[in-house]
Amino acid sequence: MRQAASPGDFRQLARRRLPRFLFEYIDGGSYAETTLARNISDLAQIALRQRVLANVADIDLSTTILGQKLAMPIALAPIGLAGMNARRGESQAARAATTAGIPFCLSTVSVCPLDEVSAAASAPLWFQLYMVRDRGFVRDLLAAAREAACATLVFTVDMPVPGSRYRDYRSGLAGAPGLGGKLRRLWQGASHPRWAWDVGLRGRPHHLGNVVPVLGGHTGLEDFFAWMRDNFDPSATWRDLDFIRANWSGPLIIKGILDVEDARAAAGIGADGIVVSNHGGRQLDGVLSTAAALPPIAEAMGDDIAVLADGGVRSGLDVVRMLALGAKGVLLGRAWAYALGAAGEAGVTRLLAFIRAEMEIAMALTGCTRIADIGRDVIAAR
Ligand SMILES: Cc1cc2nc3c(=O)[nH]c(=O)nc-3n(C[C@H](O)[C@H](O)[C@H](O)COP(=O)(O)O)c2cc1C
C-alpha cells in the first residue's frame, strides 16, 4: 500500500494481489474494449484552462446531491462481486466512503448483503437495482433497501442482457462450466496465498448476499452467472418505472443513460437524477465515451434533474473534467475496485484522499473555489 503514490498505482497493486480471474473481471470491458479505452482517452484529452491570481485560498469541495450533503461530488459506483476483492469487501469500501463523507452504492449482486453493509457504514447508502423477472423478488429487495435506510435508489437500465466480456472466458471466470473453470480459479487463488487466506478462507461466505434467497442453495460463481443470464429482465420498459415508484418513495436515479432522448424520457417519468454511463465499457462496445455523451445530455437537462456521470474516471483531475463537461456528481468505478483489491478499506481511503487532493489543486489552478464554479469555461479552447 505504501507503494501507492498516486490514484493510478492501485491498478498494478491489485493486479499483483488478486487472482487473475478477479483482476480481469474488474479490469476488462466487452468485445474489443474500444469504449473502455475511449472512456479513458476522451477524458484525458480534455485540456483544462489555467487561471492565475484568483484568490483560491479557501477551496470547498462540498456539494449537495438529491438532498444529501457530500464532502465532495463523488459516489462509489455499484460494482458487482466487489466483496471478492477484499474480505467482506463491500463493507470495507462502505466504511472508507463514510470516512470520506461520500455515498457508497451497493450493487444488487454484491457479496455482502444490504443489512451487513448498512451496519458497516454510518452514512446513508445508495442501493443499485437491476430489474429481474420476478417482481416479487424486486419488491423484497426494495423493502430490504428501505429497511437498511438507503438514501437513494440507483436503477441500472443498460443491462437488459450482459455484454460479452472475452477476458472472462480467457481467465476461467465464465464459459468453462464444470470442473475446468473451477480448477483454474482454484489454482489462481492458491497462487495468491495472501488473497486465498484473507478473502478466500476468512471472507466466506462468498455468495451473493442479496440474491441468495432465490438461488436455492446454488451459490457457486457459475450459478451466479446462470442466474443473471436467466433472470435479468430484457422485457423491461419505461412503464416498469411505475412499479418501482410504487415500491420506492425516495430519490431515484436512472443509471446507464447515453442518449439525450433517453435522458428526456427519464426526466419525463419523474426520475430525480440520471447517471450518464456505458457501464464502464462493459456492455455495447463501440458506443460513445461518456465524456463525449455527457455535454449534450447535461445541456438538455439543465437543472431539471441531477445529471451524474461515470466512465474512465481514474483521478481527481478526471473528476474535475467530468464536472466541467456538465456533471453535478461523478461515480468512481474501477478506481475504487482496484484500491479495494490492493489494500482493502485503507486502500480506498487512500485513493479518496489522493482524489480529494488532486481536485483541490486542479480547482486552485483553474481559479475555482466552489464546486458550482466548475463549468464549461474551465475547459480550454483548442
Ligand atoms: C467489475 C465491475 C462490476 C460492475 N458491476 C456493476 C453492477 O453490479 N451494477 C451496476 O450498475 N454497474 C456495475 N458496473 C459499472 C459501474 O457501476 C460503473 O458504471 C463503471 O465501472 C464506470 O466506469 P469506470 O470503471 O471506468 O469508472 C460494474 C463495473 C465493473 C468494472
Side-chain angles (χ1 to χ4, degrees):
M1 226 275 272
R2 264 176 279 122
Q3 294 146 295
S6 84
D9 294 343
F10 292 102
R11 180 171 176 270
Q12 276 314 320
L13 295 175
R15 185 199 282 272
R16 261 185 256 150
R17 196 175 164 115
L18 296 175
R20 178 177 166 213
F21 72 89
L22 267 184
F23 178 78
E24 301 287 10
Y25 165 69
I26 301 167
D27 201 54
S30 55
Y31 303 105
E33 303 187 342
T34 314
T35 296
L36 167 60
R38 244 179 227 165
N39 277 348
I40 294 171
S41 60
D42 283 2
L43 211 45
Q45 271 174 24
I46 289 162
L48 297 172
R49 192 167 150 224
Q50 175 175 294
R51 303 300 305 279
V52 296
L53 296 175
N55 184 4
V56 288
D58 166 31
I59 289 183
D60 181 2
L61 265 62
S62 69
T63 191
T64 300
I65 292 180
L66 301 180
Q68 203 176 343
K69 184 118 169 96
L70 314 183
M72 46 186 177
I74 292 175
L76 300 191
I79 299 276
L81 289 178
M84 300 291 284
N85 298 356
R87 183 171 10 130
R88 313 309 292 163
E90 290 99 356
S91 294
Q92 293 203 48
R95 275 198 295 271
T98 302
T99 305
I102 61 169
F104 175 80
C105 185
L106 187 70
S107 167
T108 297
V109 290
S110 57
V111 170
C112 302
L114 268 159
D115 53 352
E116 178 182 334
V117 181
S118 87
S122 44
L125 291 179
W126 292 5
F127 180 64
Q128 177 265 323
L129 177 77
Y130 281 125
M131 186 56 90
V132 299
R133 293 177 197 271
D134 178 352
R135 297 295 195 269
F137 172 64
V138 175
R139 203 175 292 125
D140 291 348
L141 264 183
L142 294 176
R146 270 198 311 277
E147 240 163 75
C150 289
T152 296
L153 182 69
V154 175
F155 176 40
T156 298
V157 293
D158 60 3
M159 187 128 72
V161 292
S164 278
R165 299 167 199 153
Y166 294 138
R167 284 207 224 182
D168 291 344
Y169 291 88
R170 291 186 205 111
S171 73
L173 180 63
L179 209 53
K182 245 182 217 136
L183 281 178
R184 288 178 68 187
R185 292 199 300 274
L186 264 177
W187 168 248
Q188 291 169 19
S191 55
H192 291 77
R194 257 198 320 174
W195 178 90
W197 166 245
D198 187 39
V199 187
L201 291 172
R202 293 170 72 207
R204 284 186 295 185
H206 296 133
H207 52 228
L208 304 180
N210 300 315
V211 180
V212 85
V214 288
L215 275 175
H218 304 289
T219 52
L221 274 176
E222 281 90 359
D223 304 318
F224 156 60
F225 285 115
W227 177 82
M228 265 177 70
R229 204 182 43 242
D230 298 342
N231 288 281
F232 277 28
D233 188 356
S235 73
T237 69
W238 290 105
R239 281 196 296 279
D240 288 290
L241 267 301
D242 292 342
F243 167 81
I244 289 183
R245 268 302 186 204
N247 289 282
W248 181 263
S249 55
L252 171 65
I253 295 176
I254 299 187
K255 174 173 181 281
I257 300 286
L258 212 57
D259 191 280
V260 175
E261 288 311 307
D262 286 334
R264 289 206 176 98
I269 55 95
D272 302 289
I274 54 172
V275 185
V276 175
S277 175
N278 50 36
H279 217 98
R282 294 164 75 82
Q283 284 296 96
L284 181 57
D285 193 31
V287 295
L288 282 182
S289 71
T290 46
L294 172 60
I297 294 177
E299 200 165 306
M301 293 298 100
D303 288 328
D304 294 351
I305 58 173
V307 177
L308 315 182
D310 71 17
V313 177
R314 301 287 181 269
S315 66
L317 269 188
D318 288 342
V319 174
V320 171
R321 289 178 169 123
M322 276 293 198
L323 298 177
L325 290 171
K328 292 281 184 293
V330 174
L331 272 59
L332 297 179
R334 290 179 182 81
W336 78 260
Y338 296 138
L340 183 70
E345 177 184 347
V348 181
T349 296
R350 194 165 164 93
L351 167 80
L352 293 173
F354 281 138
I355 287 190
R356 186 179 181 87
E358 279 197 11
M359 284 183 71
E360 280 168 350
I361 292 171
M363 285 171 70
L365 293 173
T366 51
C368 300
T369 58
R370 299 291 177 266
I371 292 301
D373 297 342
I374 306 173
R376 282 306 282 256
D377 58 347
V378 162
I379 298 176
R382 295 239 180 213

